[in-house]
Amino acid sequence: MRKNNRSLLTKYILLMAFATIILPLAIYIAQVIFPEIIIQYNVNFAKEEMNRDTFYNRYSSQINMASLIILIGIFIIFMAVSYIFFNSIRKRLVRLETVMALPEDKTTLKPISISKKDEIGNLEKQFNQMVEQLTESRKKEQNEEKVRQELIANLSHDLRTPLTSLRGQVYSLKKNHSDIEREETIESIDNKISYMGDLIENLLSYTLLSSEKYPYTPERLELVRLVRRYFADWYDTLEAKNFEIYISLPEEPVYGRIDENLLRRMMDNVIQNVIRHASEGKYISLELLPGRNQHTLKIMDKGPGFEDADKNSEGSGLGLSILSMITKMMNIEWKIDTRDTGTIILFLIDNTGKSPQ
Amino acid sequence: MTNILYIEDNEEIGSWVTSELEDRGYSIEWLLDGDDALEKAEKAHIIILDVMLPGLDGFTLGQRIKNYLPDTPIIMLTALTSIDDKIQGLNFADDYLTKPFHPKELIARVEMLLRRSGQISEESMTLHHLEVYLKAHRIIDLNTDDEILLTGKEFKIFFHLIDNLNQILTKEQIYEAVWKEQYFEGDKSLMVHIRHLREKVEKDPSDPIIIQTVRGIGYRVKI
């Protein structure tokens, strides 16, 4: 990039050197114009009739004239060369300026053709790179904007739906007289409230994750204890919902490079989804299968599955986006297989390095 | 009577939490901001602290209270995301609850922390055929009126489970709390001690009802 750094200067010096060579050329031209001076000079010197002083005295006006012409000539050549040189630079700079100036619509900057391989050429190259980066980031921005708008649209739907049913339920509470009905309605209202709380939580996580502000400190950790502890927190809830729970964790330590909080978030997310969308199946299994290179964390339910993650409302789209961001951060590959008889999610966690024994 | 210091700036939430806790027989001091918190905290057995407060925020305030009164448990009321966000800021807290929390959940956490920190209000509790004296750390079999004597480890395991009543504790958690050393997957000594413990406290050790096994996870004592 810096190779051509001085090429403009070199070019100018070369041009000037060329202009200086004009001087002997000018003398030669002078000879052609005033041949008698040279002839006289040579003849007189040859005859040794005349010393230098008398020669100068006799031809002083012609000599002065010639010197002046030479000087003026050199000066004009200098001026001309400099003018041409700087004018060409000026033109290129003006061109660059016109291109760089933000156009009327203020959206697109176009890349510019590179004129020469010199400093200005480099400038143009840099400019092109800048334009490219700008276009790229603008594209990214537009994309993010689109995602955000969709998210907000989905979210307001996801929030409005439970709010509507909340209102309906509160209304029916006023009318209901049977205690059992009342009890059921209150229970359902309570669930809706937790659901909305989770939804807002997910939204915040999503925002943090997508702006890359989520703290991430990966460490080599023992997975069995973490997985067990995180699952334990859900056990009561699952039990209360009459889930059949199957757990299979290895008897020996299993190590992986993960971030504790993100792993927890990941598991919470999946289990929450199971409770929310697959409780009809009344079944959840959690397995950790150690492997030589990769460990597999498998969570399975027997719920009705979901056909299209994006179109499935009730906020699971958001949950899946969070999952994919979390797994991406931790370098965990994940697979999801969903059918109408159940859903299996696999997380492949790299086994980095050896265990401490 | 157990004193609870509760700092919450939202009037609506504050008043229902206060009345809910008062119904449970606690004495509540509810502050709208953290100005006099340090002073009032001296008398409190437990502190419930909201994160979003006018003036001094809950994180800073909680940290100060913890430095001043390291033995008083603190429960933070916060959004989960800010826990992730300020994970360091929350290290001092003994527990946290995310909004919107359930009043039942709050009461359960308060009771658990009180039990854990030894500031229990009740003298004893009945667990099936056992009467457990929480302050005296004695266990009486109600069928025979005999005291059940446990060895040191059994005693520690039993009361650790009682301190975390209704909570599932993983093998690691129990082992590390009782043995005070790192647990390695596959260690059988905890299982052996639990078996001996059950022979003493359970009516039918082959079908335990007091110390429940949660398959694949750990153990719990549940009422």
Side-chain angles (χ1 to χ4, degrees):
Chain A
M1 196 56 81
R2 304 210 151 248
K3 223 164 43 186
N4 298 322
N5 233 0
R6 288 173 168 275
S7 59
L8 269 182
L9 190 67
T10 322
K11 196 169 155 195
Y12 188 65
I13 289 170
L14 278 176
L15 273 172
M16 282 309 165
F18 175 72
T20 327
I21 292 166
I22 295 293
L23 182 71
L25 205 69
I27 292 169
Y28 175 74
I29 291 164
Q31 278 180 355
V32 177
I33 298 170
F34 307 109
E36 71 274 19
I37 299 174
I38 312 299
I39 295 161
Q40 284 298 330
Y41 182 87
N42 289 338
V43 169
N44 291 337
F45 270 96
K47 287 181 184 165
E48 292 185 32
E49 274 179 11
M50 196 190 290
N51 60 19
R52 253 165 231 261
D53 290 338
T54 46
F55 173 82
Y56 282 130
N57 286 336
R58 192 176 303 165
Y59 296 105
S60 65
S61 64
Q62 282 98 326
I63 291 170
N64 284 346
M65 187 66 179
S67 319
L68 197 67
I69 287 170
I70 289 167
L71 266 175
I72 290 171
I74 289 174
F75 183 71
I76 287 171
I77 288 164
F78 258 75
M79 289 289 282
V81 166
S82 297
Y83 174 77
I84 293 165
F85 184 76
F86 284 110
N87 200 38
S88 84
I89 290 180
R90 195 189 69 87
K91 272 186 189 157
R92 289 168 65 196
L93 285 175
V94 167
R95 183 177 82 106
L96 205 58
E97 195 215 328
T98 356
V99 181
M100 276 173 142
L102 213 56
E104 280 293 296
D105 57 3
K106 288 188 180 184
T107 47
T108 44
L109 278 172
K110 287 202 176 71
I112 153 175
S113 62
I114 291 165
S115 47
K116 278 171 195 160
K117 275 193 173 179
D118 54 18
E119 285 93 327
I120 294 177
N122 280 346
L123 201 66
E124 289 161 346
K125 217 156 104 193
Q126 291 287 349
F127 174 72
N128 282 348
Q129 277 174 4
M130 248 170 62
V131 169
E132 203 178 302
Q133 277 172 11
L134 213 69
T135 324
E136 223 166 78
S137 73
R138 189 158 283 154
K139 221 185 263 171
K140 209 174 139 196
E141 200 178 289
Q142 279 170 349
N143 234 343
E144 275 170 14
E145 182 60 34
K146 211 179 121 202
V147 169
R148 199 164 22 240
Q149 277 174 0
E150 267 173 28
L151 188 78
I152 290 171
N154 284 340
L155 199 81
S156 31
H157 170 257
D158 285 348
L159 283 172
R160 214 175 280 130
T161 313
L163 274 178
T164 313
S165 68
L166 271 181
R167 171 162 284 164
Q169 280 161 338
V170 170
Y171 177 71
S172 74
L173 261 191
K174 288 183 191 163
K175 302 187 303 180
N176 274 343
H177 299 297
S178 119
D179 276 353
I180 301 163
E181 267 180 306
R182 225 170 239 268
E183 203 65 22
E184 274 173 5
T185 313
I186 289 171
E187 185 62 34
S188 159
I189 288 176
D190 215 29
N191 285 339
K192 290 263 155 39
I193 292 171
S194 326
Y195 164 66
M196 286 173 73
D198 295 343
L199 196 64
I200 291 165
E201 210 52 73
N202 271 348
L203 176 71
L204 286 172
S205 311
Y206 179 86
T207 317
L208 273 182
L209 281 164
S210 61
S211 61
E212 285 167 14
K213 277 186 189 138
Y214 215 89
Y216 176 53
T217 41
E219 280 172 278
R220 221 179 102 76
L221 294 169
E222 209 276 296
L223 298 173
V224 180
R225 72 163 49 206
L226 294 176
V227 168
R228 186 180 282 145
R229 200 165 74 218
Y230 300 155
F231 191 78
D233 288 343
W234 287 98
Y235 200 91
D236 275 338
T237 319
L238 291 163
E239 208 180 33
K241 296 204 181 263
N242 291 319
F243 267 78
E244 185 193 327
I245 302 166
Y246 173 77
I247 300 164
S248 164
L249 299 173
E251 292 271 316
E252 72 274 11
V254 170
Y255 291 86
R257 192 175 164 75
I258 47 114
D259 177 292
E260 248 179 285
N261 290 307
L262 283 177
L263 181 76
R264 179 184 207 124
R265 257 301 149 92
M266 187 178 98
M267 284 183 59
D268 283 358
N269 212 306
V270 176
I271 300 168
Q272 206 178 63
N273 257 341
V274 171
I275 294 173
R276 192 84 63 211
H277 304 292
S279 46
E280 294 161 45
K282 300 255 175 269
Y283 177 89
I284 187 166
S285 80
L286 172 81
E287 286 172 78
L288 182 62
L289 310 156
R292 183 185 286 258
N293 301 317
Q294 264 181 339
H295 311 305
T296 311
L297 181 68
K298 178 178 165 192
I299 300 175
M300 188 169 93
D301 66 59
K302 289 182 180 169
F306 44 94
E307 274 177 18
D308 187 348
D310 289 329
K311 288 203 180 113
N312 189 302
S313 68
E314 304 279 307
S316 71
L318 187 61
L320 288 177
S321 320
I322 291 173
L323 260 191
S324 70
M325 278 192 277
I326 290 177
T327 47
K328 202 173 150 196
M329 267 172 94
M330 289 197 287
N331 247 328
I332 292 175
E333 206 185 313
W334 70 296
K335 292 172 188 166
I336 184 162
D337 179 15
T338 176
R339 303 164 189 215
D340 52 9
T341 52
T343 303
I344 300 174
I345 296 190
L346 299 175
F347 297 101
L348 305 175
I349 304 167
D350 273 343
N351 172 19
T352 44
K354 286 177 185 142
S355 56
Q357 294 100 312
Chain B
M1 204 173 200
T2 311
N3 295 318
I4 299 179
L5 176 64
Y6 176 40
I7 306 164
E8 163 74 70
D9 64 315
N10 184 300
E11 303 253 357
E12 215 172 305
I13 299 175
S15 62
W16 73 249
V17 169
T18 306
S19 72
E20 201 64 42
L21 287 168
E22 272 169 354
D23 283 352
R24 291 274 167 159
Y26 295 109
S27 129
I28 318 288
E29 176 94 55
W30 169 26
L31 300 179
L32 285 166
D33 55 51
D35 291 350
D36 304 321
L38 270 185
E39 210 179 298
K40 306 266 187 189
E42 284 179 47
K43 280 186 292 174
H45 294 105
I46 187 165
I47 296 159
I48 303 171
L49 183 58
D50 186 45
V51 172
M52 301 294 270
L53 288 174
L56 211 55
D57 71 287
F59 291 113
T60 322
L61 184 63
Q63 193 74 63
R64 278 192 200 170
I65 295 174
K66 203 71 193 175
N67 288 342
Y68 183 53
L69 301 162
D71 295 328
T72 310
I74 299 177
I75 300 182
M76 299 291 289
L77 302 178
T78 175
L80 195 57
T81 325
S82 49
I83 294 168
D84 292 332
D85 208 14
K86 300 186 176 176
I87 202 89
Q88 266 79 35
L90 210 71
N91 280 345
F92 65 87
D94 298 87
D95 205 347
Y96 59 82
L97 266 181
T98 56
K99 286 182 173 179
F101 56 86
H102 203 288
K104 265 201 298 198
E105 184 76 10
L106 178 64
I107 287 158
R109 302 290 181 102
V110 167
E111 281 174 357
M112 195 184 70
L113 276 184
L114 285 174
R115 216 175 286 124
R116 219 188 268 169
S117 64
Q119 289 161 324
I120 12 147
S121 47
E122 72 261 78
E123 286 285 327
S124 71
M125 58 187 269
T126 314
L127 255 179
H128 301 277
H129 65 285
L130 300 178
E131 185 72 16
V132 181
Y133 291 88
L134 299 165
K135 282 179 180 161
H137 289 295
R138 289 174 66 201
I139 310 164
I140 305 291
D141 186 334
L142 292 176
N143 291 339
T144 58
D145 273 346
D146 287 338
E147 184 172 355
I148 296 173
L149 295 169
L150 302 176
T151 66
K153 287 279 190 288
E154 289 162 6
F155 176 87
K156 279 184 184 162
I157 294 168
F158 186 77
F159 279 95
H160 189 60
L161 285 164
I162 294 282
D163 285 346
N164 293 281
L165 202 65
N166 291 332
Q167 277 216 313
I168 300 169
L169 295 177
T170 66
K171 288 185 253 176
E172 297 90 2
Q173 283 173 316
I174 301 172
Y175 187 91
E176 280 159 20
V178 172
W179 272 263
K180 307 263 181 243
E181 54 188 72
Q182 172 107 22
Y183 174 81
F184 282 103
E185 208 56 54
D187 193 321
K188 298 277 183 246
S189 47
L190 177 67
M191 261 177 62
V192 173
H193 279 87
I194 295 262
R195 202 174 64 223
H196 290 153
L197 180 58
R198 276 177 173 159
E199 278 163 13
K200 292 181 183 171
V201 299
E202 300 283 356
K203 257 187 192 163
D204 176 7
S206 59
D207 179 26
I209 50 167
I210 290 176
I211 300 170
Q212 300 174 2
T213 300
V214 181
R215 265 212 51 193
I217 300 185
Y219 302 95
R220 78 174 154 196
V221 172
K222 198 179 174 189
I223 35 169

